[in-house]
């Protein structure tokens, strides 16, 4: 009961404070530009001139890259939306004191945290599905192309956001809003750097660089989930150049996926534990 | 039967002591005033009793349940000190949300919301967002929120700080209604007048410690000044009067005593007569709350 009320309150807040509307407008703008860009590329460039003369494998590679560019941008939007919307849900309510009248009710602290979590999971999931769904539909309509393994790849992107949400809640249970934002986005950028180092390492045959990259992913397994998603989208045959955000010269293992899932659960458990033990 | 019992409840933040050994009993059905200067530990004490802040040591029961019991909070109401609420909600939505959190049956909620909005004078603002409310209106809606569940025990933390005189009268009426209903009210305040007219008993807190507890009604142990005109009182007798009085002064044939309660009066008179003194008059004056405050807490404040 308590958890459901808090989840409903979280969704109500997103609607009332026009977070949902803002996200929808940004998403719609994003998809308009993405669709326009795709259309111009298909109709105006070498892709049109060479149509029919490009070997199928190369064509598929070009289309995959175009599709991944859109999905990559969508992924960044989801990442930022996750962190920016959830960043003050605990810390902000603690510092303003609004949490007091909630926590004095007959609900447990864990219900407060998990209620908020559930609310944000709904928001993030809907936002992600709208954006990625939009990109994939535009790919199909304009390029006549669909990447591989869509459900598995989307699941990886979803897991990335769930990890970010859990870390955001964990940080927000202890730190101020500003510090929470700095820590979570900082960790994500760290993971992002780690991903590049790992790709270069694999390309240059440097196991040390690969290990450095994997270490960064162990600290924050978010970017690794995007790269796993990218490799799923591309399928087993086409590995693109290593030095791009879609590089799959070193693909995160299923072990890393399991690690990310456990990481998320531990972060969430730790958020609940920290919030349950702190003074409000 | 007590609504609240605490024993040596202590809270430190880092090295700073906020509440130093709170030992207190609040009886069921009484209006208990918790009086002290700003920073004396009043709010921290209330937050410990509500499970918002964890005590460093000590124990307490609230409505016969140990601290931290979740279910007992369904029987408690709370108006926080700074009455900060989700200001993007309308007044009615706000009460609806909090009724949900109390787990109140759906069928009862709409009627209860209307009653409470009427009670706190906000019936005309039910669809207005809290962000457009004045400080006084926020305090009123917070008060309504604290009464949603017909609580057995209500904590009001500085309930009149944002209110105009009319609002303060409203709070007085509400507290009176709660007492008549049989509820216990725990009122945190630093406003003497407010406590004086509403409370049955008052606890004085300073530097996180209860300095004294006094009754304000029904005779009891409010503390009073006694003036006795008598002749034939020797010095030894005056010294003996310290058994009943906190202080004794003899000026000519006048004896001035501070006694804790009126039960001491007949005993003192009978003692004096027993020593052979001749008692001509006895007059008593009860301490005003302000005098008690200054006597118990001193005039330097609690900081």
């Amino acid at each position: 009961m308590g958890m459901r009320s808090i989840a409903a309150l979280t969704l109500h807040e997103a609607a009332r404070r026009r977070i949902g509307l803002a996200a929808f407008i940004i998403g719609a703008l994003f998809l308009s530009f993405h669709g326009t860009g795709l259309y111009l590329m298909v109709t105006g460039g070498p892709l049109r001139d060479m149509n029919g003369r490009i070997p199928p494998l190369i064509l598929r590679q070009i289309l995959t890259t175009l599709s991944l560019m859109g999905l990559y941008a969508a992924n960044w939007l989801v990442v930022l939306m996750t962190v920016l919307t959830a960043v003050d849900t605990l810390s902000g309510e603690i510092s303003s004191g609004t949490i007091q009248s909630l926590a004095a009710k007959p609900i447990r602290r864990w219900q407060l945290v998990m209620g908020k979590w559930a609310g944000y999971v709904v928001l993030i999931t809907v936002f992600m599905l709208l954006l990625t769904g939009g990109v994939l539909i535009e790919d199909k309509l304009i390029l006549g192309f669909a990447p591989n393994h869509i459900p598995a790849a989307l699941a990886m992107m979803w897991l990335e956001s769930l990890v970010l949400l859990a870390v955001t809640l964990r940080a927000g249970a202890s730190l101020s809003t500003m510090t929470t934002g700095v820590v979570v986005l900082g960790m994500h950028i760290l993971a992002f750097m780690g991903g590049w180092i790992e790709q270069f390492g694999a390309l240059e045959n440097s196991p040390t660089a690969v290990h450095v990259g994997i270490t960064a992913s162990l600290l924050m397994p978010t970017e690794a989930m995007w790269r796993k998603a990218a490799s799923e989208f591309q399928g087993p045959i086409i590995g693109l150049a290593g030095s791009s955000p879609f590089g799959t010269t070193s693909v995160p293992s299923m072990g890393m996926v399991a690690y990310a899932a456990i990481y998320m659960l531990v972060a969430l458990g730790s958020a609940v534990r920290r919030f349950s033990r702190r003074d409000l | 039967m007590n609504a609240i019992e605490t024993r040596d409840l202590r809270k430190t933040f880092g090295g700073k002591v906020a509440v130093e050994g709170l030992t207190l009993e609040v009886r069921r059905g009484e209006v208990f005033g918790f009086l002290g200067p700003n920073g004396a530990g009043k709010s921290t004490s209330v937050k410990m009793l509500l499970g918002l802040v964890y005590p460093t040591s000590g124990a307490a029961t609230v409505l016969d349940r140990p601290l931290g019991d979740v279910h007992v909070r369904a029987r408690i109401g709370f108006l926080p000190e700074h009455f900060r609420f989700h200001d993007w909600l309308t007044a009615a939505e706000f009460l609806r949300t909090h009724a949900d959190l109390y787990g109140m049956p759906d069928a009862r909620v709409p009627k209860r919301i209307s009653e409470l909005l009427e009670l706190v004078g906000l019936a005309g603002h039910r669809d207005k967002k809290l962000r457009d409310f004045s400080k006084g209106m926020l305090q009123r809606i917070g008060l309504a929120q604290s009464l949603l569940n017909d609580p057995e025990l209500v904590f009001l933390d500085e309930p009149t700080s944002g209110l105009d005189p009319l609002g303060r009268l409203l709070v007085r009426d509400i507290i009176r209604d709660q007492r008549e209903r049989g509820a216990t009210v725990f009122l945190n305040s630093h406003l003497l007048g407010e406590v004086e007219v509403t409370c049955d008993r008052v606890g004085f807190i300073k530097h996180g410690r209860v300095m004294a507890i006094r009754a304000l009604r029904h005779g009891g142990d409010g503390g009073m000044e006694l003036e006795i005109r008598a002749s034939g009182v020797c010095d030894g007798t005056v010294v003996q009067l310290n058994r009943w009085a906190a202080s004794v002064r003899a000026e000519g044939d006048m004896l001035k005593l501070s006694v804790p309660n009126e039960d001491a009066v007949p005993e003192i008179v009978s003692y004096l007569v027993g020593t052979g003194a001749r008692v001509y008059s006895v007059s008593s004056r009860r301490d005003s709350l302000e005098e008690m405050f200054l006597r118990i807490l001193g005039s330097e404040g609690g900081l």
Side-chain angles (χ1 to χ4, degrees):
Chain A
M1 184 68 197
M3 189 176 149
R4 214 193 60 203
S5 302
I6 297 292
L9 189 67
T10 305
L11 292 173
H12 193 171
E13 179 173 17
R16 187 56 66 75
R17 295 174 81 179
R18 299 192 193 143
I19 296 166
L21 182 68
F24 182 79
I25 291 173
I26 293 294
L29 274 173
F30 168 78
L31 289 175
S32 317
F33 276 99
H34 177 259
T36 310
L38 278 188
Y39 179 76
L40 292 175
M41 270 183 245
V42 172
T43 54
L47 209 58
R48 183 200 55 193
D49 303 337
M50 294 172 68
N51 203 7
R53 285 182 288 132
I54 306 174
L57 200 64
I58 303 292
L59 180 67
R60 185 161 179 82
Q61 191 158 338
I62 292 170
L63 295 178
T64 303
T65 307
L66 286 176
S67 175
L68 275 174
M69 278 163 59
L71 290 163
Y72 178 66
N75 185 62
W76 262 110
L77 263 179
V78 175
V79 163
L80 290 176
M81 203 62 79
T82 301
V83 178
L84 295 180
T85 51
V87 70
D88 83 330
T89 191
L90 287 179
S91 56
E93 290 218 27
I94 293 166
S95 71
S96 74
T98 52
I99 202 86
Q100 286 178 21
S101 58
L102 301 183
K105 296 291 185 294
I107 61 171
R108 295 174 200 281
R109 296 270 184 103
W110 69 260
Q111 291 174 311
L112 246 165
V113 179
M114 292 308 290
K116 283 175 177 289
W117 177 81
Y120 281 105
V121 168
V122 171
L123 285 175
I124 291 165
T125 307
V126 169
F127 187 62
M128 193 193 95
L129 287 177
L130 282 178
L131 275 190
T132 52
V135 168
L136 291 170
I137 288 170
E138 287 179 347
D139 285 348
K140 191 73 191 165
L141 292 179
I142 300 167
L143 302 178
F145 171 81
N148 294 302
H149 308 139
I150 291 172
L154 291 185
M156 295 301 111
M157 287 172 67
W158 193 56
L159 181 56
E160 178 184 13
S161 288
L162 293 188
V163 169
L164 276 166
L165 176 63
V167 175
T168 306
L169 291 177
R170 172 59 191 92
S174 304
L175 307 170
S176 72
T177 299
M178 194 77 88
T179 317
T180 299
V182 169
V183 166
V184 179
L185 283 179
M187 283 173 75
H188 183 65
I189 300 294
L190 185 94
F192 183 75
M193 278 301 300
W196 282 73
I197 294 170
E198 190 182 332
Q199 295 303 312
F200 275 114
L203 210 62
E204 308 274 317
N205 265 329
S206 161
T208 316
V210 170
H211 286 140
V212 169
I214 290 175
T215 307
S217 292
L218 290 174
L219 285 173
M220 185 69 167
T222 45
E223 174 69 8
M225 291 308 98
W226 159 253
R227 283 189 290 115
K228 187 73 179 165
S231 84
E232 291 288 343
F233 279 133
Q234 290 171 66
I237 306 164
I238 310 164
L240 290 168
S243 54
S244 84
F246 329 124
T248 53
T249 42
S250 177
V251 179
S253 63
M254 276 317 284
M256 185 55 93
V257 176
Y259 176 80
I262 292 166
Y263 185 100
M264 188 248 320
L265 293 175
V266 169
L268 200 56
S270 174
V272 167
R273 189 182 148 96
R274 177 72 194 106
F275 183 76
S276 299
R277 293 181 174 198
R278 68 165 292 160
D279 294 327
L280 297 176
Chain B
M1 271 246 281
N2 289 320
I4 299 170
E5 286 182 23
T6 73
R7 206 176 60 247
D8 284 331
L9 217 49
R10 181 181 161 85
K11 180 65 185 178
T12 55
F13 292 108
K16 192 177 172 296
V17 177
V19 174
E20 167 105 57
L22 185 76
T23 299
L24 192 67
E25 286 180 0
V26 176
R27 299 165 194 154
R28 289 219 185 209
E30 77 173 340
V31 179
F32 186 87
F34 211 38
L35 195 56
N38 294 326
K42 303 191 295 289
S43 286
T44 305
S45 300
V46 164
K47 285 188 193 174
M48 281 196 281
L49 295 173
L50 284 161
L52 294 173
V53 163
Y54 296 107
T56 310
S57 61
T61 58
V62 177
L63 299 176
D64 301 322
R65 304 293 307 160
L67 280 191
D69 185 287
V70 171
H71 305 295
V72 80
R73 293 194 213 134
R75 296 149 60 198
I76 295 176
F78 171 46
L79 172 69
E81 184 183 9
H82 298 296
F83 45 92
R84 297 288 297 271
F85 308 119
H86 295 102
D87 62 6
W88 42 270
L89 291 168
T90 67
E93 288 169 347
F94 169 72
L95 293 179
R96 168 95 236 178
T97 299
H98 284 260
D100 284 348
L101 290 170
Y102 271 123
M104 288 169 65
D106 281 352
R108 219 179 115 219
V109 175
K111 186 162 169 281
R112 186 71 185 135
I113 289 175
S114 298
E115 281 169 11
L116 285 168
L117 286 172
E118 192 70 45
L119 176 71
V120 299
L122 292 174
H125 302 277
R126 64 177 299 140
D127 296 321
K128 195 168 175 176
K129 285 188 188 145
L130 299 192
R131 82 162 57 102
D132 299 322
F133 272 27
S134 69
K135 198 175 169 201
M137 289 163 82
L138 278 175
Q139 203 147 18
R140 285 167 186 252
I141 197 72
L143 212 51
Q145 172 270 143
S146 73
L147 302 175
L148 267 168
N149 56 336
D150 289 314
E152 288 169 48
L153 169 63
V154 197
F155 290 94
L156 303 176
D157 199 349
E158 306 281 0
T160 58
S161 61
L163 294 178
D164 54 20
L166 222 57
R168 291 181 184 208
L169 280 176
L170 169 78
V171 171
R172 270 179 215 177
D173 288 346
I174 287 176
I175 291 175
R176 195 169 302 135
D177 289 350
Q178 295 306 310
R179 183 202 279 120
E180 281 169 15
R181 203 168 60 77
T184 308
V185 180
F186 191 105
L187 173 69
N188 258 7
S189 182
H190 64 279
L191 299 176
L192 298 166
E194 175 176 299
V195 170
E196 191 153 33
V197 296
T198 52
C199 293
D200 300 308
R201 288 196 308 148
V202 56
F204 294 87
I205 182 170
K206 182 181 176 183
H207 297 318
R209 189 182 277 286
V210 177
M211 309 298 283
I213 292 176
R214 295 281 183 267
L216 294 181
R217 291 164 197 274
H218 326 301
D221 52 355
M224 55 205 293
E225 297 295 315
L226 213 56
E227 284 193 349
I228 301 173
R229 193 162 72 83
S231 64
V233 180
C234 65
D235 289 351
T237 305
V238 173
V239 173
Q240 286 298 313
L241 288 175
N242 282 309
R243 276 153 57 188
W244 295 282
S247 71
V248 183
R249 273 183 301 142
E251 294 170 6
D253 61 354
M254 291 297 289
L255 290 168
K256 296 188 173 179
L257 304 90
S258 294
V259 294
N261 57 52
E262 64 185 10
D263 293 345
V265 179
E267 292 184 29
I268 288 170
V269 172
S270 110
Y271 170 74
L272 286 173
V273 172
T275 63
R278 294 166 66 83
V279 177
Y280 297 105
S281 73
V282 178
S283 66
S284 69
R285 192 173 60 81
R286 188 171 290 280
D287 270 2
S288 74
L289 189 62
E290 188 174 339
E291 286 164 318
M292 278 191 228
F293 186 90
L294 291 173
R295 186 157 48 77
I296 296 167
L297 299 179
S299 54
E300 85 276 24
L303 302 174

